[in-house]
């Protein structure tokens, strides 16, 4: 089943309009995000897509903010509703993790309100000392 999909960080394959539609209308963390804001976020990030091999259609997306040396933040992970339930989220995040491995990063962080099980399958764990982390801005 997963063999029917291709995972790549090739920016030429990304469907920016589709990604914006998914995130701005169906992702609780990005509802209402403008296309301009999404395009800017993508331009400053390492982006990944999952594509049906047969049709070439994009079916999932993930974005990584990283310095490619010490740190990465995995965000905007989204699987099209019509493609869910096939393990695509886990496969996409595994591809992202494996792509980042040669960089020797100290840490890859993410935040999720509802997909802990997806990330735990490939080694993500809750922070041991979440009280050490701080944030500035809108939460």
């Amino acid at each position: 089943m997963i063999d029917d999909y291709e995972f790549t960080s090739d920016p030429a394959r990304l469907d920016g309009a589709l990604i914006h539609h998914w995130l701005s209308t169906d992702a609780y963390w990005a509802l209402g995000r403008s296309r301009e804001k999404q395009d800017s976020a993508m331009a400053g990030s390492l982006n990944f897509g999952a594509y049906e091999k047969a049709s070439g259609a994009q079916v999932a997306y993930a974005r990584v903010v990283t310095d490619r040396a010490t740190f990465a933040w995995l965000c905007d992970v989204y699987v099209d509703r019509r493609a869910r339930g096939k393990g695509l989220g886990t496969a996409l995040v595994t591809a992202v993790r494996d792509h980042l491995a040669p960089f020797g990063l100290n840490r890859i962080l993410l935040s999720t309100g509802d997909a802990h099980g997806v990330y735990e399958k490939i080694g993500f764990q809750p922070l041991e000392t979440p009280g050490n982390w701080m944030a500035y801005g809108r939460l």
Side-chain angles (χ1 to χ4, degrees), residues 94-108:
T94 299
V96 170
R97 181 200 63 195
D98 294 351
H99 182 93
L100 296 173
F103 298 148
L105 303 172
N106 296 335
R107 183 165 303 212
I108 302 171

Side-chain angles (χ1 to χ4, degrees), residues 57-107:
Q58 186 168 355
V59 294
Y61 172 73
R63 183 167 69 86
V64 178
V65 181
T66 183
D67 61 10
R68 292 179 169 88
T70 63
F71 177 81
W73 172 44
L74 173 62
C75 56
D76 287 346
V77 177
Y78 185 90
V79 176
D80 187 298
R81 286 190 174 273
R82 294 168 291 173
R84 292 182 187 174
K86 300 175 184 179
L88 281 170
T90 300
L92 176 59
V93 175
T94 299
V96 170
R97 181 200 63 195
D98 294 351
H99 182 93
L100 296 173
F103 298 148
L105 303 172
N106 296 335
R107 183 165 303 212

Side-chain angles (χ1 to χ4, degrees), residues 2-132:
I2 291 300
D3 293 336
D4 296 335
Y5 298 91
E6 178 183 8
F7 304 89
T8 179
S9 62
D10 179 357
R13 301 269 317 263
L14 296 170
D15 184 336
L18 179 62
I19 293 165
H20 174 255
H21 173 74
W22 283 339
L23 296 177
S24 68
T25 65
D26 194 41
Y28 67 85
W29 64 90
L31 292 175
R33 184 182 290 170
S34 71
R35 175 70 192 265
E36 178 180 57
K37 180 76 73 175
Q38 182 61 40
D39 288 349
S40 180
M42 290 173 66
S45 301
L46 181 58
N47 300 277
F48 295 83
Y51 305 86
E52 293 177 340
K53 286 183 179 177
S55 69
Q58 186 168 355
V59 294
Y61 172 73
R63 183 167 69 86
V64 178
V65 181
T66 183
D67 61 10
R68 292 179 169 88
T70 63
F71 177 81
W73 172 44
L74 173 62
C75 56
D76 287 346
V77 177
Y78 185 90
V79 176
D80 187 298
R81 286 190 174 273
R82 294 168 291 173
R84 292 182 187 174
K86 300 175 184 179
L88 281 170
T90 300
L92 176 59
V93 175
T94 299
V96 170
R97 181 200 63 195
D98 294 351
H99 182 93
L100 296 173
F103 298 148
L105 303 172
N106 296 335
R107 183 165 303 212
I108 302 171
L109 290 179
L110 63 86
S111 177
T112 183
D114 60 357
H116 296 80
V118 170
Y119 300 108
E120 288 170 348
K121 288 179 191 176
I122 62 165
F124 283 85
Q125 302 170 8
L127 293 172
E128 282 187 33
T129 53
N132 290 355

